Amino acid sequence: MESIGTLNPSMEFDNSQEGELEPLIQIQPQECDLDQPIAVDPLGHDSTAVLLANPPDDCPVSGEGRELVAAAAAVDMEAAAEVACGDLHEPAMGMEFDSPDAARAFYSAYAERVGFRIRNSKSFTSRVDDTVIMRRFVCSKQGRPTKKDPFDLTKKRRNRTSSREGCNAMLQVNRRENGRWAISRCVLDHCHPLGVIPKQSPSVQKKLAKKPWELLVSPATEPQQSGLGPGGGVAQSLLEYFKRMQAENPAFFYAIQVDRNNCVSNVFWADARARMAYSYFGDAVVFDMTCKKNKRMVPFATFTGFNHHRQLIVFGCAFMTDESEASFTWLFETWLGLMSGRRPVSFITAYNESMAVAASKVFLNVRHRFCKRDIFSKCKDKLSDVYSIHPSFKAEFKKCVNECESAEEFDSCWRSLIDRYNLEDNIWMQALYAIRQKWIPLFFRGTFFGEFFGTPKMETMHKFFQRHSITTTTLRDLVTQFDKAMAGQYEKELQADFDANHTRPVLKTPSPMEKQASEVYTKSIFDLFQEEFAGSSGFLKEKVADGVEYMYRVTKTEDASKAYMVTYNASNKHITCSCFMFEFSGILCRHVLGVLIVVSVLTLPDDYILRRWTKNAKSNGLSCEDRGLCQSNSRKALAWRCNDLCRDAIKFAEEGATSAVIYKVAKGALQKAFAEVLATKKGSFFNRPDSFAF
């Protein structure tokens, strides 16, 4: 499914550049023009990541398979050993080995080099002495998944993915009269893409086996202080670390803010990986300061989001000792400037008046709301007496907040709650009701936040620090520990990308819509979709309006009191539901899926497949604004093209560096491309006086 839709215009991620941006940084050790093209370190800081690699052009990856039938001259064991040790020769007919295990080791080394896994298959034994005379090794994707009746509800089935795709690649060895084993049959072609299998290096495995503080060696002369402020020792150490990072990776960015005494009060930093992640998944952003729970730590703040696997990603970090409105405004403006002025669709912060005012100034036309989890956490303190006296209050309070479907229903439920527990004069409850538009889910369901009700909560930075045992020593060490933890997080994303492209989820129905979703969505999103699709059968659909637009009243089979209204326009295939799940989460709800089946729409409309949830979320699809900007010759367009090429260069470098063989191919392709660029640059058009309009 190549055509991927986006959210409607009122909710889509704005990728347009909004005019020329001026640096908003009071002090910055090295100049960094926000409109200048970024120079990118191919793998970023301390990267151990490995991406998938395409197979060489001379090794096709599809077709019926080319079987080697012409016998080749037998090679001696010395030559076979050279091949097994990394020579680039492919398996060939007649190659001999001392044992079937040696043949398997050779084929396994070849598979790892090319980019697939192998497993044992058939073996034949002699009728004379019952010894093994034939061994066959096949691609791990050989065969087909076992067909089982999806409607047999008597058996419990695990929703496991299958890697079988019917691949014919194999290697077979037979024992000769002289006792040696020779290749008698070999198929080299695969029916699936090949790629380098992500694998942690031994050094990384050793590092991950240690606690973060075991990886740090602090200089003996550095004061063990964890905060910013007068004296400058800790701040200077941190800035020197940032300078070194920027020297190693020019795309690394940092900025500082000082107070009236010229002391460092706030620090912000981000790398190229954060900027690239924002270009893919910057539609929903959370400003996370949950690390304040650690009273010994300088408030550590992050701009976070989630990728297409619903994993935590970071768009930038900050240390903040001054939490005034002016400081938050400076931080938000600095971060937004680094992201080329592209505002998110939604922005979440803790319940803090200074943050709210700063967000309203910087994030124009962005839906800002307070974190519901943060408010519930504050309620434990503000309503501690109510919680202790009335154990049932907490559950009723959350039900009122989460389950109301209309403003009238919420007001009625809230008044009932206030009256039942005598909270009419409670100042905290009055304040929460006054800001209900900023934190009650009912009032912002029409905006994309990428959240799913009933699923595990997204990880906060406080929990992230706890999970990785990040401790408070010096600020510089804290940054180092955090960088190492994020390197591991990035490896998880790479592994999830690999699994999404090389495994297939188990389908529960023969529906083409479910099959389409399994091919388009990542596994984590498909699991959520599959749950909605399976749940659609438990609803009754009653048509209440006909014409150009159909309207259906959708109710549960066992409870018709709660109804959802679904509207479907057959001419443009536009469909909406009163629950607003697609607008809020990005996948269609069970009410809509049920109606689509009723109106004989067997596949998902393209406009309702959100690219950010798909396997191709990180592909380079250009928007209409981007295409227009690409053709322009203004200074703004020049910066945009440079940044776009840098993003491609990062992916090219990561794939090209996965092995010595692929590096050689990538280096040659890069040199050839660079020569073509220089040749084009010397052309007559480029040298025309009017070729650029500054």
Side-chain angles (χ1 to χ4, degrees):
M1 191 71 189
E2 291 298 326
S3 179
I4 307 297
T6 58
L7 292 173
N8 62 57
S10 64
M11 299 156 53
E12 67 182 354
F13 185 31
D14 182 13
N15 285 319
S16 60
Q17 305 268 355
E18 299 188 0
E20 297 297 328
L21 298 169
E22 294 296 331
L24 298 168
I25 302 163
Q26 292 178 317
I27 291 184
Q28 187 170 332
Q30 297 189 17
E31 293 184 1
C32 183
D33 186 354
L34 297 180
D35 279 333
Q36 281 294 106
I38 60 174
V40 180
D41 180 8
L43 289 177
H45 173 56
D46 195 23
S47 175
T48 56
V50 180
L51 291 183
L52 303 181
N54 293 325
D57 294 337
D58 59 351
C59 181
V61 295
S62 62
E64 298 299 325
R66 51 185 177 95
E67 183 173 344
L68 301 180
V69 294
V75 297
D76 57 19
M77 284 307 297
E78 182 179 354
E82 291 178 359
V83 172
C85 290
D87 196 9
L88 303 181
H89 295 165
E90 295 178 340
M93 298 292 294
M95 292 178 64
E96 290 189 352
F97 305 90
D98 284 338
S99 66
D101 291 337
R104 191 188 193 284
F106 163 74
Y107 193 44
S108 177
Y110 166 76
E112 183 176 355
R113 188 168 64 247
V114 175
F116 66 98
R117 291 189 176 97
I118 68 169
R119 57 183 174 84
N120 296 333
S121 184
K122 297 179 179 179
S123 63
F124 291 159
T125 57
S126 171
R127 295 182 180 179
V128 178
D129 55 4
D130 203 32
T131 57
V132 177
I133 59 174
M134 187 277 286
R135 290 285 302 276
R136 182 180 297 175
F137 314 107
V138 298
C139 173
S140 61
K141 295 183 181 293
Q142 181 268 346
R144 294 288 182 183
T146 304
K147 292 186 178 180
K148 300 177 182 178
D149 183 5
F151 300 102
D152 185 1
L153 302 180
T154 62
K155 299 180 180 179
K156 291 185 178 181
R157 305 196 184 280
R158 296 171 60 187
N159 189 16
R160 294 184 298 180
T161 59
S162 174
S163 62
R164 305 293 180 88
E165 297 187 17
C167 182
N168 294 322
M170 51 84 73
L171 182 142
Q172 178 176 307
V173 291
N174 287 68
R175 192 180 68 187
R176 290 186 170 180
E177 293 182 357
N178 61 3
R180 294 170 67 80
W181 294 74
I183 297 179
S184 59
R185 190 178 177 194
C186 184
V187 179
L188 298 183
D189 282 341
H190 297 256
C191 67
H192 55 88
L194 301 178
V196 176
I197 301 169
K199 182 174 67 172
Q200 294 175 348
S201 64
S203 60
V204 174
Q205 292 175 349
K206 291 180 181 179
K207 287 181 180 180
L208 295 180
K210 297 181 179 181
K211 297 296 183 182
W213 56 78
E214 295 176 332
L215 303 172
L216 303 173
V217 179
S218 302
T221 58
E222 183 176 305
Q224 295 298 309
Q225 179 184 353
S226 62
L228 301 172
V234 176
Q236 186 62 33
S237 175
L238 182 65
L239 294 181
E240 288 176 357
Y241 174 79
F242 285 159
K243 286 181 181 180
R244 188 174 74 252
M245 288 290 297
Q246 195 172 64
E248 296 173 356
N249 180 3
F252 184 86
F253 174 90
Y254 69 98
I256 64 173
Q257 185 186 38
V258 297
D259 58 19
R260 294 179 179 179
N261 297 322
N262 215 29
C263 296
V264 175
S265 58
N266 301 312
V267 181
F268 167 74
W269 73 95
D271 58 11
R273 188 174 293 164
R275 193 172 185 179
M276 187 168 66
Y278 183 77
S279 69
Y280 300 133
F281 308 111
D283 43 11
V285 177
V286 178
F287 182 63
D288 190 331
M289 291 192 71
T290 55
C291 286
K292 287 176 61 179
K293 293 180 180 180
N294 186 341
K295 302 300 183 183
R296 298 174 300 161
M297 186 183 297
V298 172
F300 180 76
T302 54
F303 295 89
T304 65
F306 36 84
N307 60 20
H308 50 325
H309 304 291
R310 298 189 73 233
Q311 297 170 333
L312 179 73
I313 51 178
V314 175
F315 304 133
C317 306
F319 283 127
M320 300 194 69
T321 60
D322 179 17
E323 298 183 37
S324 64
E325 177 189 325
S327 291
F328 285 122
T329 301
W330 170 85
L331 179 61
F332 294 164
E333 287 178 340
T334 302
W335 175 79
L336 188 62
L338 179 64
M339 300 305 167
S340 303
R342 289 179 289 183
R343 296 180 175 87
V345 174
S346 59
F347 188 65
I348 302 176
T349 67
Y351 179 29
N352 182 291
E353 188 63 29
S354 298
M355 289 187 200
V357 174
S360 65
K361 291 181 179 179
V362 178
F363 298 106
L364 305 177
N365 301 319
V366 174
R367 187 59 186 267
H368 168 255
R369 73 172 175 91
F370 296 125
C371 176
K372 184 176 63 175
R373 188 188 311 183
D374 177 67
I375 290 181
F376 279 142
S377 177
K378 287 181 170 64
C379 285
K380 294 178 182 179
D381 177 52
K382 301 289 186 179
L383 301 174
S384 58
D385 54 339
V386 180
Y387 277 37
S388 60
I389 298 174
H390 305 287
S392 61
F393 173 78
K394 182 178 180 180
E396 292 185 34
F397 182 41
K398 288 190 174 182
K399 182 178 180 180
C400 176
V401 170
N402 295 324
E403 298 184 13
C404 292
E405 296 288 340
S406 65
E408 294 77 13
E409 181 184 357
F410 171 75
D411 287 339
S412 175
C413 183
W414 186 273
R415 285 194 298 269
S416 176
L417 193 70
I418 295 296
D419 293 340
R420 186 179 302 112
Y421 295 100
N422 299 318
L423 299 174
E424 295 86 354
D425 298 327
N426 188 286
I427 298 177
W428 174 251
M429 293 297 286
Q430 293 175 2
L432 292 185
Y433 184 78
I435 61 167
R436 60 190 180 280
Q437 302 279 349
K438 301 278 283 186
W439 74 282
I440 302 295
L442 162 69
F443 297 103
F444 44 78
R445 291 183 304 175
T447 303
F448 179 77
F449 283 91
E451 298 177 356
F452 294 85
F453 295 115
T455 60
K457 298 177 181 179
M458 301 300 293
E459 186 176 37
T460 64
M461 194 52 60
H462 177 65
K463 294 294 184 182
F464 181 83
F465 269 50
Q466 287 183 332
R467 179 162 60 88
H468 291 276
S469 302
I470 298 178
T471 59
T472 305
T473 52
T474 64
L475 294 184
R476 192 189 70 180
D477 287 347
L478 186 63
V479 174
T480 304
Q481 293 180 36
F482 180 73
D483 285 347
K484 291 182 182 295
M486 288 308 302
Q489 193 76 5
Y490 184 61
E491 282 192 1
K492 289 183 179 179
E493 180 178 341
L494 291 175
Q495 185 63 53
D497 285 340
F498 182 85
D499 293 341
N501 290 313
H502 291 78
T503 58
R504 295 183 180 179
V506 177
L507 304 183
K508 295 182 179 180
T509 70
S511 168
M513 184 179 294
E514 187 185 14
K515 183 176 184 295
Q516 174 197 16
S518 71
E519 295 171 349
V520 173
Y521 289 131
T522 60
K523 183 183 183 303
S524 59
I525 300 303
F526 173 72
D527 289 345
L528 296 172
F529 173 87
Q530 192 176 51
E531 182 180 349
E532 293 297 318
F533 188 77
S536 64
S537 60
F539 285 80
L540 299 175
K541 300 90 180 176
E542 177 188 0
K543 185 186 290 187
V544 296
D546 207 340
V548 178
E549 287 190 345
Y550 303 123
M551 182 175 290
Y552 287 83
R553 185 175 184 270
V554 182
T555 58
K556 286 186 176 181
T557 306
E558 66 278 5
D559 181 15
S561 61
K562 196 169 189 177
Y564 300 90
M565 304 306 297
V566 177
T567 304
Y568 175 68
N569 189 316
S571 60
N572 57 14
K573 294 186 177 180
H574 181 72
I575 190 165
T576 59
C577 179
S578 58
C579 75
F580 293 100
M581 180 174 178
F582 175 75
E583 290 79 2
F584 183 79
S585 303
I587 66 171
L588 291 175
C589 63
R590 58 190 63 191
H591 321 119
V592 166
L593 295 174
V595 170
L596 288 177
I597 295 174
V598 170
V599 298
S600 300
V601 177
L602 302 181
T603 58
L604 292 171
D606 293 345
D607 291 341
Y608 294 94
I609 301 176
L610 198 63
R611 176 180 288 275
R612 68 111 58 229
W613 292 136
T614 68
K615 299 175 184 178
N616 298 324
K618 294 187 283 189
S619 62
N620 271 347
L622 297 180
S623 64
C624 296
E625 294 82 3
D626 291 340
R627 291 191 187 99
L629 195 61
C630 185
Q631 300 298 324
S632 172
N633 283 327
S634 64
R635 183 183 296 275
K636 177 180 175 182
L638 177 63
W640 181 90
R641 287 195 294 267
C642 287
N643 290 335
D644 186 60
L645 289 174
C646 284
R647 284 191 290 268
D648 288 339
I650 290 176
K651 291 188 290 185
F652 181 84
E654 287 175 330
E655 295 199 12
T658 52
S659 71
V661 178
I662 297 174
Y663 168 77
K664 186 176 180 180
V665 175
K667 190 72 172 179
L670 191 62
Q671 291 173 344
K672 182 180 178 181
F674 189 68
E676 292 179 358
V677 169
L678 291 180
T680 304
K681 185 176 179 181
K682 294 178 181 178
S684 58
F685 175 78
F686 187 89
N687 291 323
R688 286 171 50 188
D690 59 344
S691 59
F692 285 98
F694 290 112

